[in-house]
């Protein structure tokens, strides 16, 4: 398996397949099982800013005293934080693969102190899962993007472990956002997060959760933007996420220029052992093609490397329709 070795944000990995942030990475037993099934690193379940504030808010309803509210809020916050730091330390002590912590934030200020604690607890790197839902018509796209940039600048001053930003696919110009993050010392980007989305149950007349898990067809946007971004922002490490359900998908993303891939829904659907199938599938393909290292084929099918770069730029179906009448 030596030929699968790679690096991600300066971390040495035994292969390019990382388990993404989810319930699968929220406890040490599961993380150990993932390591046994060839995970090269894990991104821990995110600690959510929203979750902490919400839990503290729910508890405080029971109290009539503002001082008690403050106390409860501080207690809940620090308890969540303590549990998370303990998870980092325990995971680090139990496995030999890198353990990447994850924070979810919706603002550029609240989490910076906590990032220092994550580093102290021994996290190998930090993935920042930041998403500011743009709902204010008075704000420009730049206003929203600035939150990401300010956060990156603040983190740069607080921690020395590598930082990755896990982004959504809603930006007008994702390549520019990634480049701006690189200028602010962000070493990696995860393209893309797959967010919780609402759906409507027309029988029960209720707003419900849309399908939580991805399916293999969701790879399409990931593939396009990995190919484009890896060509245009060459120094940042890209970890491809969303739609990686098998080794074929992982290979495509590496060919498009990803440094690593992340997977999660496929493991929920097929069990931890499916990870091994994905990793071994990459190795078998490399043997068939005669590749001795991942670097030998990484990016060779990226934007600018294939004869016609327009294949990654084309977005309308004109040709497709004309041949499917
Ligand atoms: C049950 C579940 C929980 C998740 N929790 C988190 C989380 O805490 N933080 C995060 O950044 N992403 C979270 N995700 C998103 C995944 O990390 C991943 O980016 C997304 O599912 C797309 O990858 P996939 O196609 O391999 O599932 C979660 C996904 C699922 C299905």
């Amino acid at each position: 398996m030596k030929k699968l070795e790679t690096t991600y944000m300066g971390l040495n990995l035994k292969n390019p397949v990382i388990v993404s942030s989810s319930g699968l990475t929220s406890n040490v037993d599961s993380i150990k099982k993932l390591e046994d099934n060839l995970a090269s690193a894990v991104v821990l379940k995110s600690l959510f800013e929203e979750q902490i504030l919400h839990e503290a808010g729910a508890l405080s309803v029971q109290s009539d005293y503002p001082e008690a509210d403050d106390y409860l809020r501080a207690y809940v916050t620090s308890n969540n934080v303590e549990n998370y730091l303990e998870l980092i330390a325990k995971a680090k002590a139990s496995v030999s693969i890198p353990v990447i912590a994850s924070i979810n934030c919706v603002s550029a200020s609240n989490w910076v102190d906590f990032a220092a604690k994550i580093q102290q607890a021994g996290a190998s790197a930090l993935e920042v899962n930041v998403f500011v839902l743009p709902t204010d018509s008075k704000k420009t796209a730049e206003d929203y993007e600035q939150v990401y940039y300010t956060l990156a600048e603040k983190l740069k001053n607080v921690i020395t472990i590598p930082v990755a930003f896990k982004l959504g696919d809603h930006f007008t110009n994702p390549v520019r956002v990634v480049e701006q993050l690189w200028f602010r010392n962000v070493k990696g980007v995860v393209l893309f997060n797959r967010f919780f989305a609402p759906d409507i149950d027309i029988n029960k007349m209720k707003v419900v959760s849309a399908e939580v898990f991805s399916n293999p067809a969701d790879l399409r946007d990931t593939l396009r933007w990995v190919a484009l971004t890896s060509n245009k922002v060459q120094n940042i490490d890209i970890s491809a996420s969303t739609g990686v359900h098998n080794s074929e998908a992982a290979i495509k993303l590496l060919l498009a220029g990803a440094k690593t891939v992340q997977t999660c829904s496929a493991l929920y659907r097929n069990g931890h052992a499916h990870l091994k199938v994905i990793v071994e599938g990459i190795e078998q393909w490399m043997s068939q093609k005669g590749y001795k290292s991942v670097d030998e084929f990484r990016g060779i099918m990226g934007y600018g490397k294939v004869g016609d770069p327009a294949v990654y730029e084309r977005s309308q179906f004109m040709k497709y329709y004309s041949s499917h009448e």
Side-chain angles (χ1 to χ4, degrees), residues 253-306:
L253 292 164
L254 294 168
L255 284 167
K259 202 78 201 240
T260 59
V261 301
Q262 299 194 8
T263 184
C264 149
S265 293
L267 306 183
Y268 272 103
R269 288 193 201 277
N270 304 304
H272 288 57
H274 186 65
L275 185 61
K276 203 170 175 200
V277 176
I278 296 178
V279 176
E280 288 176 349
I282 301 173
E283 196 192 27
Q284 278 158 22
W285 176 84
M286 284 173 68
S287 298
Q288 279 163 20
K289 293 281 177 193
Y291 291 123
K292 298 204 166 42
S293 75
V294 177
D295 282 342
E296 258 186 80
F297 69 92
R298 176 183 286 113
I300 63 168
M301 300 292 289
Y303 176 87
K305 301 280 175 53
V306 284

Side-chain angles (χ1 to χ4, degrees), residues 20-21 45-46 48 129 166 193 212 214 241-243 264-265 268:
S20 54
S21 179
K45 171 92 184 138
S46 301
F48 283 77
N129 156 17
K166 185 174 190 181
N193 203 348
V212 171
S214 72
S241 163
T242 295
C264 149
S265 293
Y268 272 103

